[in-house]
Amino acid sequence: MRFCIRYRCDKSFLLRFVFCKQSIKALIGNAPNGKRFVELFDNGIKLGNTPTVFVQLAFGILCDFRLSDLRSRTHLFHKLILIGDGKGAGCSDGFQNKLSDRFCPNIVTAASMSALLMCQCVGGAIIKIRGQSSSKGAQKNYKIELKDGKDTWRGQRTINLNKHMFEGLRFRNKLAYDLMKDIPQMISARTQFVHLYVKDETEGGSGVFEDYGLFTQVEQMNKTFLKSHGLDKNGHMYKVNFFEFMRYEDAIRLATDPAYDQTAFEEHLEIKGDNDHTKLIAMLNDVNDYSIPIEETVEKWFDTENLFYWMGFQILLGNTDTSSRNYYLYSPLNVNKFYIISWDNDGSLEYLEEQLKGKDLRDTWEYGLSNYWGNVLYQRMFKNEEYRRELTDVINTLRSDYLTPERVSEKVNSYKSVTKPYLYSMPDVLYAPLTEAEFEQVADNIPKEIEENYQRYLESLERPMPFYIGVPEPQEGKLTVNWDAAYDFDSENITYTFELARDCLFKDILFSDSAIRIPQAELDMPGAGQYFIRVTAKNESGKTQTAFDYYHTDDGKVYGTKCFYVLEDGSIEEDTENEDS
C-alpha cells in the first residue's frame, strides 16, 4: 500500500509524505497531480544517485519512504527531502530547525530554500486505525508510528491523522489548539492540515492512488511531546479515557501490587509516562477524603491557574465532552502538582451545527458549570463560592484577551480557505455533514457562539445542578424511585417533578407529581414492560434542571430520562444498552 500525505495551508506551500512499494524510478510521472514526483535537486544531484529507504508496515509490505515537493512563497523546488540507505541511518537533529512556522501559521514552512534539505530516516513504521467512536465511521483516523530507537519526523515518532468525519467544518480541533498557543496557563500541541492519498497494491487492490481527502495532523502527547514543550519527559502523564477523580480502588493500583491489572487501570487512565502511580493514588485519596477541606487538597495537588484556564476555555468553546475524558493529566517527576493538557477538541463550538442537524439542546446540562458536576473533584471545588468567582474571572479574561471576536474571526477565515475546497470535493463531499451554505453559516457564527456559551455559563450558575436517578426498586406492591438531591448555589429550596411514561417522549404518561420536596417518589407497581422516568428540579427562582440520565434515540439524547424494564416476575432491570460506550 502506498501513502502519499500532503501537508498544506495555502497555495504557496506543500510538503508531502510518501509510503510506497515501488522503486523510486517507478514513481517518476506517477504523482496524483500529474507532475514528476521527484526531479533534480537544485544542486544538480541526479535521481540515479539516490538510495532507497524501507518502511515496514503493520501488514508486512516493504515500502519506500519519501518526502518531496517543497514550495516556498516565491519559488517552486522539487527536492528529495528524505534520503537513507535502508539500514536505519539516524535523522538529522537540525532538520526540523530548518523549517519554520513563521510564514505559514497552519503548517511548517521552509525557512530557507537555498540549501538542500535532507534527513536520513529509519526503515520502520506501523500504520493503525485510531480513535474510539471515530473508528466506527466510514472515514477513519490513522496513526503512523515510527519505530523506537529509529528516526523521527519533526521530532515526532507518532503521526496522528484525524479525519474529524462527524465535524462539519473540519478545522475545530486545529482552531482550538491554535487559540491555546497564546494562553500562558495552557499547553497546546502542534497541528497541520493533511491531504492523504492511498495506493493499495495488495491482492485485489486497485493499484492506483485513491484520494482520502483532508485530515488534521495533531502532535502525539507522549514523552517526546513533554521534552519538545520544555516539560519533564520523565514525569507522570495519563491519557484520560474515563475518569471522574473517583478512587477506583479495584483498578487504580501500584504496579507492584499483586492485584495490579494494567488493562483495568487503563480503562480509566492510559499510562503515557512514569509507571510509579504513588503520587496519583495519594492525590485521589485526598480528593475523595471528605474530612480534608477541598481547599487544602486543591492547593496541594493542582495548579489552579492551569485548571481554571483549561475549564474556562472548554466552557467558552462549548467542548462538552471533557468532564471525564479527552484530556491528559501531567505531573513533573518531583513536583506534587497535576496539570491538565487538552486533547481532542473537535467537539468545540458545535452548538449551531448540532441544531442544524436536528438536535434538541433546550434541556441539556452539558453547557456551563453543570457539565462538570458529575466529577468528584469539580463538584467539591465549585461548591466553594470563591472558586466559582475565580473561574468566572478567568472566563472573562479569556473573553477579553484571547478569544476576542476579531482574533477568532481571523483564524476561522484562514482555515475556511483551506478546508472548504477539500470538504466539498471528492471524497469528503460524500460524508459532509453540512451543505456549503450551512458550512458558511456555522463558520461565521463561531465568534458569536463563544459569547453565547458565556451566557450559558452564567445561566448554569442560576440553575440547580444536575443529579442521577437511581434504579427503581419494587417494595410490597409499590415502585420506589430515589435520586440524588439537586444542589443550588444560592441555597434556594428545590421541588421536583416526577413522571413515569411508556415512551421516552412522555406522550403516554402513567404517573406524574410536580410538588415533591424530597428526592423520592412512590407509586403503584406497573405491569411488565419498558418504562421511562423523567425527573426535573426547580428552584425558588423558577430555574429548572434535568437529571444527568438520558436516553438515546435516532434523533439524539432525551435529557433527564432513565429507562428500565419490569420483568414478568416483578423484578427490575435497568437499561444499560443505551449508555455511551
Side-chain angles (χ1 to χ4, degrees), residues 467-473 475 478-486 494-499 511-523 533-536:
F467 48 91
Y468 285 102
I469 303 172
V471 180
E473 297 179 359
Q475 294 182 355
K478 297 288 187 179
L479 184 70
T480 300
V481 183
N482 294 278
W483 55 91
D484 298 330
I494 293 174
T495 56
Y496 302 94
T497 296
F498 175 90
E499 297 168 286
F511 178 87
S512 178
D513 188 345
S514 60
I516 299 175
R517 296 285 183 178
I518 61 173
Q520 183 184 79
E522 184 177 271
L523 58 149
I533 293 170
R534 180 167 64 189
V535 180
T536 305

Side-chain angles (χ1 to χ4, degrees), residues 366-527:
E366 292 178 310
Y367 289 84
L369 190 54
S370 52
N371 185 51
Y372 299 92
W373 201 247
N375 188 299
V376 174
L377 172 64
Y378 305 140
Q379 183 178 133
R380 291 194 66 195
M381 280 185 65
F382 292 108
K383 286 182 178 179
N384 182 310
E385 184 178 2
E386 179 62 21
Y387 282 145
R388 297 198 302 273
R389 185 193 63 76
E390 289 184 41
L391 176 61
T392 301
D393 289 345
V394 164
I395 287 176
N396 283 320
T397 298
L398 286 167
R399 292 171 59 233
S400 62
D401 295 356
Y402 301 106
L403 304 179
T404 63
E406 296 77 17
R407 184 166 184 265
V408 173
S409 293
E410 180 181 3
K411 290 188 176 297
V412 167
N413 290 332
S414 69
Y415 302 149
K416 281 169 52 177
S417 65
V418 178
T419 66
K420 188 178 179 182
Y422 286 100
L423 182 54
Y424 294 100
S425 301
M426 292 292 288
D428 288 337
V429 67
L430 297 176
Y431 308 99
L434 302 173
T435 67
E436 289 193 61
E438 289 172 337
F439 177 98
E440 292 291 340
Q441 181 184 359
V442 171
D444 292 344
N445 188 67
I446 281 180
K448 180 183 176 183
E449 190 164 313
I450 291 175
E451 183 60 24
E452 290 171 343
N453 286 333
Y454 173 64
Q455 296 300 324
R456 294 183 187 107
Y457 164 72
L458 296 179
E459 175 71 13
S460 75
L461 300 179
E462 301 297 321
R463 302 172 69 181
M465 289 295 99
F467 48 91
Y468 285 102
I469 303 172
V471 180
E473 297 179 359
Q475 294 182 355
E476 301 178 354
K478 297 288 187 179
L479 184 70
T480 300
V481 183
N482 294 278
W483 55 91
D484 298 330
Y487 185 88
D488 188 84
F489 292 133
D490 296 321
S491 301
E492 294 186 8
N493 291 323
I494 293 174
T495 56
Y496 302 94
T497 296
F498 175 90
E499 297 168 286
L500 178 73
R502 294 186 186 274
D503 66 300
C504 66
L505 299 180
F506 289 80
K507 295 180 179 179
D508 186 6
I509 296 176
L510 303 176
F511 178 87
S512 178
D513 188 345
S514 60
I516 299 175
R517 296 285 183 178
I518 61 173
Q520 183 184 79
E522 184 177 271
L523 58 149
D524 292 336
M525 187 71 185

Side-chain angles (χ1 to χ4, degrees), residues 145-163:
E145 296 178 345
L146 305 180
K147 289 182 179 179
D148 289 340
K150 304 297 184 179
D151 302 309
T152 62
W153 176 76
R154 298 194 71 207
Q156 302 175 60
R157 293 198 182 283
T158 302
I159 303 166
N160 296 311
L161 302 178
N162 297 339
K163 172 53 77 173

